[in-house]
Amino acid sequence: MTASRDYAALAQRGLSLDLTRGKPSPRQLDLSNDMLRLPESYHAADGTDARNYGDLQGLPELRELFGPLLQVPPAQVVVGGNASLALMHDTVVHALLGKVPGAERRWVEEPEITFLCPVPGYDRHFTICERLGITMVAVPMGPDGPDMDVVERLVASDPKVKGMWCVPKYSNPSGVVYSDETVRRLAAMPAAAPDFRIFWDNAYAVHHLTDTPAELADLLALCAAHGNPDRALVYGSTSKVTLAGAGVSFFGSSPANVEWFLANTRKQSIGPDKLNQLRHVEFLRDADGVAAHMRRHAELIAPKFELVDRVLTKELGGLATWTSPRGGYFISLEVPHAAEVVARAKAAGIALTPAGATHPYGEDPDDRVIRIAPTYPELDELEQAILGLTVCVRLVAEERA
Amino acid sequence: MTASRDYAALAQRGLSLDLTRGKPSPRQLDLSNDMLRLPESYHAADGTDARNYGDLQGLPELRELFGPLLQVPPAQVVVGGNASLALMHDTVVHALLGKVPGAERRWVEEPEITFLCPVPGYDRHFTICERLGITMVAVPMGPDGPDMDVVERLVASDPKVKGMWCVPKYSNPSGVVYSDETVRRLAAMPAAAPDFRIFWDNAYAVHHLTDTPAELADLLALCAAHGNPDRALVYGSTSKVTLAGAGVSFFGSSPANVEWFLANTRKQSIGPDKLNQLRHVEFLRDADGVAAHMRRHAELIAPKFELVDRVLTKELGGLATWTSPRGGYFISLEVPHAAEVVARAKAAGIALTPAGATHPYGEDPDDRVIRIAPTYPELDELEQAILGLTVCVRLVAEERA
């Protein structure tokens, strides 16, 4: 009965803690406060007055800075607003309402469209599909990425499969890095749909937690090498590099896809906020500047990941499994009766992402995955929250025993 | 033969002048340079850390500042990115892919959709329709706005008519201000389509050129008063208030429409750039601050409008007609054989918006309207360009005589 006593004590404390979203902490945001006084010059490198309209694709100097980090040639990078999610959403919209290169028709004219969703995955990818009427098919993740036997079979056999979501590096929420062989198979596999696309959300490209950064194979180049040049749609952003609400986002792909994307975007906007682009160039400067800045982030958040791991090990050894990612923003905790654990935590004042959110339609068939976002709270709050969570896990285990 | 001699001399000068787009001049942008050092505080009035994610609707203090200027209650304002065009484009997309309040089905499921387009009008409205497969029907503009007899008949009789574009104040390009009676009739008229919407692009709400600002009736309130609360979709931006590429945009409508819009936007983005919102609040402060700032713009650009009027009067009296707007960004010149005039000007190094761009599908049936954008060039360049344009008008008139 230890767990019920601990839970009663926990509930009495009247906590109000939040582990839901992958937000940088205020101290992380402080690292970029100098940006608030930039840009020093409103002229781009080529003399463009960045204050005025225009330059749909984005400033060359920013594309040159982030292209290599996202493994995209700078000429094939498009800079967007503050949310790469909007670039992904809008890509799907453009494909629904205007034919992607290689498509027989607009996706909205297809009787049904299916996207493959490696699980656990990112809930906001899934809500885009739900909102736009795209059927989702879950594919299990393993230590090297999605189960490629399943992926290859579905993509090769079913022309309804038009897309696949991937967070290939430090995956949300499991922290998995796709292996070279996984990336090669994604690039090389035959597809029944001529307009099949991989949405490669490289959200954590430079977000390392250790001194041995994970290396990711170059999907865009591999797709071209395997005769599928238009398959890869690459996304990234500085939301978790500089300022979460005021970053810049990136889209990169083949020349044909970029031309198609810009042709659609040209109807939507007269151009992006180039002053914010300059602000980023002046602040981050170059790849070394980005790496140094990301090390400062890691110094702030790596101890949080270590704390979670330590508390889970101490309190839940044998009762649960969890990930120890080498980068990214999340820890994936797997426990029996996850929904009940989350409900118990909520009742005790600890907010967690709803169990199931890591799966299409919010349905985790095994009811096991809980996504922990440790970056936002300070260490003492985080420790309280994770300790409280372990009490809930133990309580549910005890009650269900 | 005066005109041919003048044209030969003009062509020999090798000019390279641009009257195409309504861009603020560098000196206008200089008026907002202090924004490059703002915001001083990254905390919103309610304490929100504006650097982080969230607040999809936008900061209350900015909605309170611009709501009244756009005649929208602040609670019904949504703040967007740097382009109100994107808000309009995305509204149409959301209506195509997700039912607007009152609709029987998603617009994409309708066999055909029609938008009314007062002409001359704004080419970028028309390209949204073209790109998204919406049929455009031109409606003639008069001195009080669109011909309301035509509008009322079409809207009342044809359920395919789902939308209408309006630039109600200092209209692009004719400078017309919709009269109170026009606005009342737009609000009150019966519509065959239950989901008929007026896209009210109030782009020049505060962009006066004189000391007697035009007053515009309150469409949103009138729609509600006449039992059509969800008819009006209001748009505006600071693109031509602060910095053209780094402004903020606004959407305002009925509570039901705003809820619908936010429900769709929530799938697209985690929130807008709130630092840029704070930057605007700190810089413009209040309605008086906006008015004072816009007077400084007028001091810079009113002389340009006067110059164009003076040159046209001197050179083209009797050969052409043109507008003398009291605000906004354009002068509408009407001449016979407009396309030929534009081609002649281009050959002489003077770039003008293509003749016909002011009409759906780029087709001006009378081949008469040329849109002049006088704000960007400095006075001496503008004088050369307009003088050159008048030479082209006289040349074509002479050749066609």
Side-chain angles (χ1 to χ4, degrees):
Chain A
M1 304 311 289
T2 326
S4 2
R5 209 171 47 231
D6 289 351
Y7 185 77
L10 175 72
Q12 278 204 331
R13 293 178 59 194
L15 295 178
S16 175
L17 301 169
D18 193 330
L19 294 176
T20 55
R21 300 240 55 109
K23 290 167 69 167
S25 70
R27 287 172 66 202
Q28 285 179 270
L29 298 170
D30 287 346
L31 297 176
S32 301
N33 275 352
D34 285 350
M35 293 184 81
L36 300 178
R37 300 295 161 262
L38 300 177
E40 287 187 356
S41 163
Y42 51 76
H43 284 110
D46 66 0
T48 299
D49 187 336
R51 301 171 302 176
N52 222 323
Y53 289 116
D55 196 352
L56 196 65
Q57 191 172 352
L59 296 177
E61 52 265 51
L62 186 57
R63 293 189 277 112
E64 277 154 25
L65 171 50
F66 274 91
L69 302 177
L70 293 166
Q71 300 166 300
V72 180
Q76 293 160 232
V77 172
V78 177
V79 188
N82 72 328
S84 60
L85 193 71
L87 291 177
M88 295 178 236
H89 173 278
D90 289 1
T91 306
V92 179
V93 163
H94 296 328
L96 283 163
L97 298 175
K99 278 196 331 181
V100 295
E104 283 157 10
R105 57 187 77 87
R106 306 184 304 153
W107 286 2
V108 81
E109 291 161 27
E110 302 279 353
E112 189 184 1
I113 285 177
T114 296
F115 270 37
L116 303 188
C117 302
V119 291
Y122 180 34
D123 55 346
R124 286 184 182 272
H125 290 160
F126 306 152
T127 54
I128 288 176
C129 283
E130 268 201 275
R131 141 101 173 91
L132 296 172
I134 294 169
T135 306
M136 290 179 274
V137 172
V139 174
M141 286 282 282
D144 293 323
D147 183 328
M148 284 307 300
D149 293 341
V150 175
V151 170
E152 284 171 344
R153 193 178 65 243
L154 290 168
V155 171
S157 64
D158 186 352
K160 294 196 302 298
V161 177
K162 298 288 191 190
M164 175 176 180
W165 293 111
C166 297
V167 183
K169 195 191 260 190
Y170 309 133
S171 186
N172 177 350
S174 63
V176 165
V177 181
Y178 286 24
S179 71
D180 290 355
E181 177 62 4
T182 296
V183 179
R184 191 199 59 74
R185 288 172 74 178
L186 285 168
M189 65 186 173
D195 49 351
F196 170 73
R197 291 291 188 279
I198 294 173
F199 288 75
W200 196 248
D201 184 0
N202 201 353
Y204 307 107
V206 295
H207 304 61
H208 317 293
L209 287 168
T210 75
D211 293 332
T212 51
E215 300 282 347
L216 183 67
D218 181 342
L219 179 72
L220 190 59
L222 285 167
C223 283
H226 284 91
N228 301 308
D230 298 332
R231 177 172 292 179
L233 307 170
V234 178
Y235 302 90
S237 82
T238 67
S239 298
K240 293 182 177 94
V241 175
T242 55
L243 298 164
V248 288
S249 59
F250 304 98
F251 166 73
S253 193
S254 66
N257 283 336
V258 168
E259 188 183 339
W260 167 82
F261 186 86
L262 287 174
N264 285 310
T265 312
R266 191 166 288 121
K267 315 294 191 240
Q268 188 178 14
S269 170
I270 301 175
D273 181 343
K274 295 182 297 300
L275 288 177
N276 205 31
Q277 296 183 12
L278 275 185
R279 205 171 273 132
H280 278 77
V281 172
E282 289 188 3
F283 180 65
L284 296 169
R285 296 182 185 275
D286 53 27
D288 287 344
V290 173
H293 189 71
M294 295 314 293
R295 275 195 297 275
R296 288 189 280 273
H297 277 291
E299 284 165 17
L300 290 172
I301 64 176
K304 298 182 180 180
F305 283 80
E306 287 156 15
L307 170 74
V308 173
D309 193 66
R310 198 163 59 238
V311 174
L312 293 179
T313 304
K314 177 155 180 282
E315 302 292 327
L316 293 186
L319 270 183
T321 59
W322 57 91
T323 55
S324 305
R326 293 168 53 210
Y329 260 59
F330 300 102
I331 288 165
S332 192
L333 173 68
E334 293 201 27
V335 293
H337 315 295
E340 204 175 320
V341 171
V342 170
R344 291 294 196 155
K346 186 177 180 185
I350 302 167
L352 292 158
T353 307
T358 52
H359 287 63
Y361 310 108
E363 288 163 15
D364 176 358
D366 301 323
D367 190 20
R368 287 193 66 84
V369 179
I370 295 176
R371 187 181 83 162
I372 297 175
T375 56
Y376 188 80
E378 288 306 305
L379 279 167
D380 53 340
E381 284 211 335
L382 180 64
E383 182 163 23
Q384 287 183 62
I386 299 297
L387 268 172
L389 171 60
T390 63
V391 169
C392 300
V393 172
R394 288 193 289 114
L395 176 74
V396 172
E398 191 173 280
E399 289 178 349
R400 295 282 190 152
Chain B
M1 304 310 290
T2 327
S4 4
R5 210 173 46 231
D6 290 350
Y7 185 77
L10 175 70
Q12 277 204 331
R13 294 178 59 196
L15 296 177
S16 174
L17 301 169
D18 193 331
L19 293 175
T20 55
R21 301 241 55 110
K23 289 166 70 167
S25 69
R27 288 174 64 204
Q28 285 180 270
L29 298 171
D30 287 346
L31 296 175
S32 301
N33 275 351
D34 285 351
M35 293 184 81
L36 300 179
R37 301 292 161 265
L38 300 176
E40 286 186 357
S41 162
Y42 52 76
H43 283 109
D46 66 359
T48 297
D49 186 336
R51 302 171 301 175
N52 222 323
Y53 289 116
D55 196 350
L56 195 66
Q57 191 173 355
L59 295 177
E61 51 265 52
L62 185 59
R63 293 189 276 113
E64 276 154 26
L65 171 50
F66 274 90
L69 302 177
L70 293 166
Q71 300 167 299
V72 179
Q76 292 160 233
V77 172
V78 178
V79 188
N82 72 327
S84 60
L85 192 71
L87 292 177
M88 295 178 235
H89 173 277
D90 289 1
T91 307
V92 179
V93 163
H94 296 328
L96 283 163
L97 298 175
K99 278 196 332 181
V100 295
E104 284 157 7
R105 57 186 77 86
R106 305 185 304 154
W107 286 2
V108 81
E109 291 161 27
E110 301 279 352
E112 189 183 1
I113 286 177
T114 296
F115 270 37
L116 303 188
C117 302
V119 292
Y122 179 35
D123 55 346
R124 286 184 182 272
H125 290 159
F126 306 153
T127 54
I128 288 175
C129 283
E130 268 201 274
R131 141 99 173 90
L132 296 172
I134 295 170
T135 307
M136 291 179 273
V137 173
V139 174
M141 285 283 282
D144 293 323
D147 183 330
M148 283 307 301
D149 293 342
V150 175
V151 170
E152 284 170 345
R153 192 178 67 244
L154 289 169
V155 171
S157 63
D158 186 352
K160 292 195 303 299
V161 177
K162 298 289 191 189
M164 175 176 179
W165 293 111
C166 296
V167 183
K169 194 191 262 190
Y170 309 132
S171 185
N172 176 351
S174 64
V176 165
V177 180
Y178 286 24
S179 72
D180 290 355
E181 178 62 5
T182 296
V183 179
R184 191 199 58 74
R185 288 172 73 176
L186 285 168
M189 65 186 173
D195 48 352
F196 171 72
R197 292 292 188 279
I198 295 174
F199 288 74
W200 196 247
D201 183 1
N202 203 353
Y204 309 106
V206 295
H207 304 60
H208 316 295
L209 288 168
T210 75
D211 292 332
T212 51
E215 300 282 349
L216 182 68
D218 182 341
L219 179 72
L220 190 59
L222 285 165
C223 284
H226 284 91
N228 300 308
D230 298 330
R231 176 171 293 180
L233 307 170
V234 177
Y235 302 90
S237 82
T238 67
S239 298
K240 294 182 177 94
V241 175
T242 56
L243 298 166
V248 289
S249 60
F250 303 99
F251 166 74
S253 194
S254 66
N257 283 337
V258 168
E259 188 182 339
W260 167 82
F261 186 85
L262 287 174
N264 285 309
T265 312
R266 191 166 289 121
K267 314 294 190 240
Q268 189 177 14
S269 170
I270 300 174
D273 180 344
K274 296 182 297 298
L275 288 177
N276 205 30
Q277 296 184 11
L278 274 185
R279 205 172 273 133
H280 277 78
V281 172
E282 288 188 4
F283 180 66
L284 295 169
R285 295 181 183 277
D286 52 26
D288 288 343
V290 173
H293 189 70
M294 295 314 293
R295 274 195 298 275
R296 288 189 280 272
H297 277 290
E299 284 166 16
L300 290 172
I301 64 175
K304 298 182 180 180
F305 282 80
E306 287 155 16
L307 170 74
V308 173
D309 194 65
R310 198 162 59 238
V311 175
L312 293 178
T313 304
K314 178 155 178 283
E315 303 292 327
L316 294 187
L319 270 183
T321 59
W322 59 90
T323 55
S324 306
R326 293 169 54 211
Y329 259 59
F330 301 102
I331 288 165
S332 192
L333 173 67
E334 293 201 26
V335 294
H337 314 295
E340 204 175 320
V341 171
V342 170
R344 292 294 196 156
K346 186 178 180 185
I350 301 167
L352 291 158
T353 307
T358 53
H359 287 63
Y361 311 107
E363 288 163 15
D364 175 358
D366 301 323
D367 189 21
R368 288 192 65 84
V369 179
I370 295 175
R371 186 181 86 160
I372 297 174
T375 56
Y376 188 82
E378 288 306 304
L379 279 168
D380 53 341
E381 284 212 334
L382 179 64
E383 183 164 22
Q384 288 183 62
I386 299 297
L387 268 172
L389 171 60
T390 63
V391 170
C392 300
V393 172
R394 288 193 290 114
L395 175 75
V396 171
E398 194 173 277
E399 289 177 348
R400 295 281 191 151

